[in-house]
Amino acid sequence: MIQTETAPKPRRNVELLLIVLALAVGIGASALVSLNSDMGLDSDFWFQSSLLAVAAFAFHIVLRLRAKYADPVILPIVVALNGLGLALIHRMDGPGDDTGNNQLRWTLIAMAVSIAVIWFLKDHRILRRFTYISLAASALLLVLPLVPGISAGEVLGASVWIRIGPMTFQPGEIAKITLAIFFAGYLSSNRDLILLAGRKIGPMQFPRFKDLGPMITAWLVSIGVLVFQRDLGSSVLFFGLFIVMIYVATSRISWVVIGLALILGGGFIASKIFSHVAFRIDSWINAFTPEVFGRSPGGSGQIVQGLFGMADGGLVGTGLGQGRPDLVPFANSDMIVALIGEELGLIGLFAVVMLYLLLFTRGFRAALGTRDAFGKLLACGLSFAIALQCFVVIGGVTRLIPLTGLTTPFLAAGGSSLLANWIIVGLLLMISNTARGPVDTTPMVNKPPTTSSHGTVKTPTGQTPSAPTEAVKHQ
Amino acid sequence: MNDVSELTITALRFGFLLLLWVLIFSIVSTMRRDFQIGRKAVTGVPTAREVRKHPELAATPPPAIQHARNLVVTEGPLKGTTVPLAASPILLGRAQEATLVLEDDYASGRHARLFPQGSRWFIEDLGSTNGTYLADQQLTRALPVELGVPVRIGKTVIELRP
């Protein structure tokens, strides 16, 4: 075989350069916001900017030490998005509001957790051991907001929050990671069975019921979220994740067809049964009708004000800090995309969408490059979760689809979402590290058997195998 | 307001949009080079352009590959059994759904999987109790099986033959 392989390059210096550019975007946006307000570049601005820069460089150094071959563009993209989000949330803060500082605190916490994930986990394949624990954890996280003691009650029509002391947290955000780990672990071990076993009806092959049991459980979980927590966005996200991962694992288009049919059918039934879903759909189709615009619960005022704002922004935007996004409710979280469209214009909004697209392609590149099925599926699932969130949010704000309550990754105000997305970035970086790094040709070292349930006999690698008489006999 | 003039603000406003796109174009140009590395590392075959530049690369023709056509059991209870290889993976074990049902007390139900990839066959242990040995080395991950190399599963030994 002819060898023209080039040695894998870490490309960490390129990453450093791009991080400097990304920080220039984030801090530049912050500076523009400050210049356009009465404060000017005060000590708060310098303090917050340096905190973000220090955190980004610390992350970079950790990658140099622990994941040398990680993808060099993922971190700069995320730093740019997060920096831009910080500036925009800061911009929306009225006097006495603390959302901007709170977001910065959560950014630092989330980056620290992500660094810890990379530092201590080292290899994403370890997560495969936690396949079923992840399923249990997902179920627990999703049920938590309904537990009376710690539930934060119904906020804005959805009960997805828990309260721990003074803090509120959305456990569903973390659940999307644990669900992705479960799907990846389960499908990578049972892919062949789902593909091969089962009976064929017409042109489609249906898997055996027992192979799909855990998958159906996961599907029921996502329906349960819709019914009991009244959270349309998360339900769509979980279900989309489920469809995509099973499609990626089996490459059967029939899954996608069935999934889309179920989503549309489920959406139709939900719009008949639940008033909040019906309101969402009505304010999507009849957004500009005066009575729908002014309706108190479930009106379309938010969407339409966002659309007016984006129209006002035009091609180049009104400039940071010069628009009137205060007219739009939740301009710093749900409607942050409308805020970008207003103040940075179509050019700025497309830049942000482009950053998301690049992040998504890097996630899929890592999935293509990595050699283990679990890593492939996990990278696909996690990057698709980010992409689907972007689609649902931006599509909702621009009135392509009904508006649902999902957060814009890295941009929107909200600590739990930031934390979850930074952990996803940490996992993607780790997977891309194995994908781009040199192939490990040394035998994997087996750990000595712990208290084995069925008397596993393992010989240390390199030794001659034990004679069959020492091996375990079945029955 | 403050001492920053209207003109500066406007310049900064457009400068910021420019900066956003400068970031994007730098990322894309980084990726372009990155994809190139990926392509070389994956195929390992020189492109026509590289052959033109370095003729010695094309000089060595690839060695004639002998394809495995049969799986032969050389030891164990099923000794002498031959299974013709098609393009589909083969499941080895005691379970009834296995392609080659091993009547071997030391094999697990779903013991190992033999699957084709490219022109080669790979063996992968499916978490068996007693392990799978390729040329006396216990498998820890999927490895290619060359012709005539013994694979031990419990008391059974199989080989690939042309």
Side-chain angles (χ1 to χ4, degrees):
Chain A
M1 186 64 84
I2 307 153
Q3 294 295 320
T4 55
E5 285 191 18
T6 41
K9 289 180 188 163
R11 296 174 74 81
R12 291 266 76 84
N13 293 332
V14 175
E15 181 185 72
L16 186 61
L17 211 73
L18 289 175
I19 286 180
V20 171
L21 257 180
L23 283 172
V25 167
I27 294 172
S30 227
L32 281 178
V33 166
S34 301
L35 283 177
N36 278 315
S37 66
D38 298 329
M39 295 175 288
L41 300 178
D42 55 4
S43 59
D44 260 13
F45 163 75
W46 292 113
F47 179 64
Q48 293 179 349
S49 304
S50 50
L51 270 183
L52 182 67
V54 165
F57 288 128
F59 207 122
H60 170 73
I61 289 167
V62 168
L63 286 186
R64 273 185 192 267
L65 295 177
R66 274 298 159 115
K68 212 169 110 189
Y69 294 97
D71 198 299
V73 307
I74 293 179
L75 185 59
I77 291 173
V78 174
V79 167
L81 286 172
N82 201 334
L84 190 61
L86 279 172
L88 292 171
I89 291 162
H90 208 69
R91 182 246 174 285
M92 287 311 299
D93 272 357
D97 275 1
D98 200 30
T99 323
N101 294 334
N102 201 24
Q103 181 80 351
L104 182 65
R105 266 195 292 279
W106 272 108
T107 303
L108 297 179
I109 293 172
M111 285 173 94
V113 170
S114 185
I115 286 174
V117 166
I118 292 176
W119 191 271
F120 293 110
L121 200 58
K122 291 181 196 129
D123 193 332
H124 64 271
R125 278 167 287 193
I126 296 169
L127 291 174
R128 189 175 178 172
R129 292 183 205 150
F130 303 116
T131 300
Y132 290 96
I133 295 177
S134 297
L135 179 62
S138 317
L140 187 71
L141 286 168
L142 289 172
V143 168
L144 272 184
L146 302 173
V147 177
I150 48 177
S151 169
E154 199 165 299
V155 182
L156 306 168
S159 40
V160 292
W161 298 85
I162 58 168
R163 185 181 295 281
I164 307 164
M167 292 200 304
T168 51
F169 195 78
Q170 228 174 320
E173 291 284 344
I174 304 291
K176 81 187 169 201
I177 303 175
T178 49
L179 268 180
I181 292 173
F182 163 69
F183 287 147
Y186 183 76
L187 288 170
S188 63
S189 9
N190 296 323
R191 195 179 76 103
D192 283 1
L193 269 181
I194 294 173
L195 260 178
L196 299 174
R199 65 165 63 90
K200 212 169 176 154
I201 301 173
M204 293 212 288
Q205 181 152 18
F206 288 92
R208 289 184 303 180
F209 186 75
K210 71 172 184 183
D211 295 333
L212 273 183
M215 300 299 288
I216 288 169
T217 316
W219 178 69
L220 285 176
V221 163
S222 67
I223 296 300
V225 169
L226 176 68
V227 175
F228 294 109
Q229 306 190 342
R230 313 183 129 237
D231 186 3
L232 188 60
S234 299
S235 177
V236 167
L237 177 65
F238 293 144
F239 196 59
L241 187 68
F242 166 78
I243 300 287
V244 162
M245 292 193 76
I246 202 165
Y247 172 61
V248 170
T250 60
S251 71
R252 289 258 163 82
I253 196 77
S254 55
W255 287 109
V256 179
V257 176
I258 296 171
L260 286 177
L262 281 174
I263 282 190
L264 291 178
F268 181 73
I269 294 169
S271 71
K272 295 284 174 221
I273 298 176
F274 304 115
S275 62
H276 66 289
V277 179
F279 277 143
R280 286 273 162 90
I281 290 179
D282 189 35
S283 65
W284 166 53
I285 293 173
N286 306 316
F288 290 99
T289 320
E291 55 265 31
V292 177
F293 179 84
R295 191 165 55 199
S296 173
S300 67
Q302 192 185 13
I303 304 174
V304 171
Q305 290 286 10
L307 288 173
F308 288 161
M310 284 192 279
D312 191 36
L315 199 60
V316 293
T318 55
L320 278 171
Q322 290 175 333
R324 291 297 309 282
D326 47 306
L327 296 174
V328 186
F330 300 106
N332 62 4
S333 55
D334 285 6
M335 299 297 283
I336 199 159
V337 173
L339 168 60
I340 294 172
E342 179 172 355
E343 302 214 322
L344 294 176
L346 190 68
I347 295 177
L349 188 57
F350 270 24
V352 170
V353 173
M354 197 71 194
L355 284 175
Y356 281 123
L357 181 68
L358 290 174
L359 181 61
F360 176 64
T361 58
R362 293 324 283 171
F364 265 58
R365 185 73 187 81
L368 283 175
T370 187
R371 283 163 289 271
D372 63 308
F374 173 73
K376 274 181 197 299
L377 283 170
L378 188 59
C380 278
L382 293 178
S383 40
F384 180 77
I386 289 183
L388 186 62
Q389 259 181 291
C390 291
F391 172 73
V392 166
V393 173
I394 300 176
V397 170
T398 52
R399 217 160 74 88
L400 180 71
I401 54 172
L403 185 68
T404 49
L406 273 183
T407 53
T408 327
F410 305 109
L411 282 177
S416 6
S417 160
L418 259 185
L419 183 65
N421 286 316
W422 269 104
I423 293 175
I424 289 180
V425 166
L427 292 173
L428 285 181
L429 283 169
M430 224 169 348
I431 296 170
S432 70
N433 183 40
T434 52
R436 300 179 70 252
V439 183
D440 182 18
T441 47
T442 55
M444 210 161 90
V445 180
N446 282 322
K447 285 196 172 169
T450 46
T451 49
S452 49
S453 53
H454 50 282
T456 315
V457 175
K458 281 202 177 131
T459 47
T461 42
Q463 219 171 304
T464 46
S466 53
T469 43
E470 289 171 34
V472 177
K473 192 167 175 174
H474 291 271
Q475 274 102 43
Chain B
M1 219 154 112
N2 48 40
D3 51 345
V4 188
S5 74
E6 203 65 28
L7 186 69
T8 325
I9 292 281
T10 312
L12 283 174
R13 204 178 107 196
F14 287 107
F16 182 73
L17 290 180
L18 195 67
L19 182 65
L20 265 177
W21 283 97
V22 166
L23 173 69
I24 286 170
F25 278 102
S26 345
I27 289 172
V28 171
S29 68
T30 310
M31 278 167 63
R32 192 194 59 206
R33 269 174 280 163
D34 196 46
F35 271 118
Q36 224 162 13
I37 291 169
R39 179 175 54 81
K40 276 185 194 164
V42 167
T43 61
V45 175
T47 59
R49 183 191 159 93
E50 282 162 348
V51 171
R52 256 202 322 279
K53 276 186 172 172
H54 311 280
E56 72 274 9
L57 283 179
T60 48
I65 299 163
Q66 257 193 317
H67 292 285
R69 294 193 201 289
N70 288 303
L71 184 157
V72 180
V73 182
T74 56
E75 253 180 70
L78 289 174
K79 185 173 177 175
T81 313
T82 303
V83 180
L85 296 175
S88 51
I90 285 181
L91 180 65
L92 302 161
R94 288 186 310 136
Q96 286 309 306
E97 76 241 35
T99 326
L100 178 62
V101 182
L102 303 172
E103 287 149 15
D104 184 335
D105 289 339
Y106 297 94
S108 298
R110 290 163 42 80
H111 195 108
R113 197 171 74 111
L114 196 63
F115 60 97
Q117 197 152 50
S119 59
R120 298 209 279 184
W121 285 79
F122 284 72
I123 184 123
E124 178 186 30
D125 190 80
L126 299 174
S128 64
T129 311
N130 292 325
T132 306
Y133 296 86
L134 176 66
D136 287 349
Q137 286 280 325
Q138 185 168 10
L139 283 181
T140 49
R141 58 204 162 92
L143 283 179
V145 186
E146 304 300 339
L147 294 179
V149 176
V151 176
R152 178 185 291 275
I153 293 168
K155 281 185 167 176
T156 309
V157 177
I158 58 167
E159 263 179 38
L160 292 187
R161 298 272 170 84

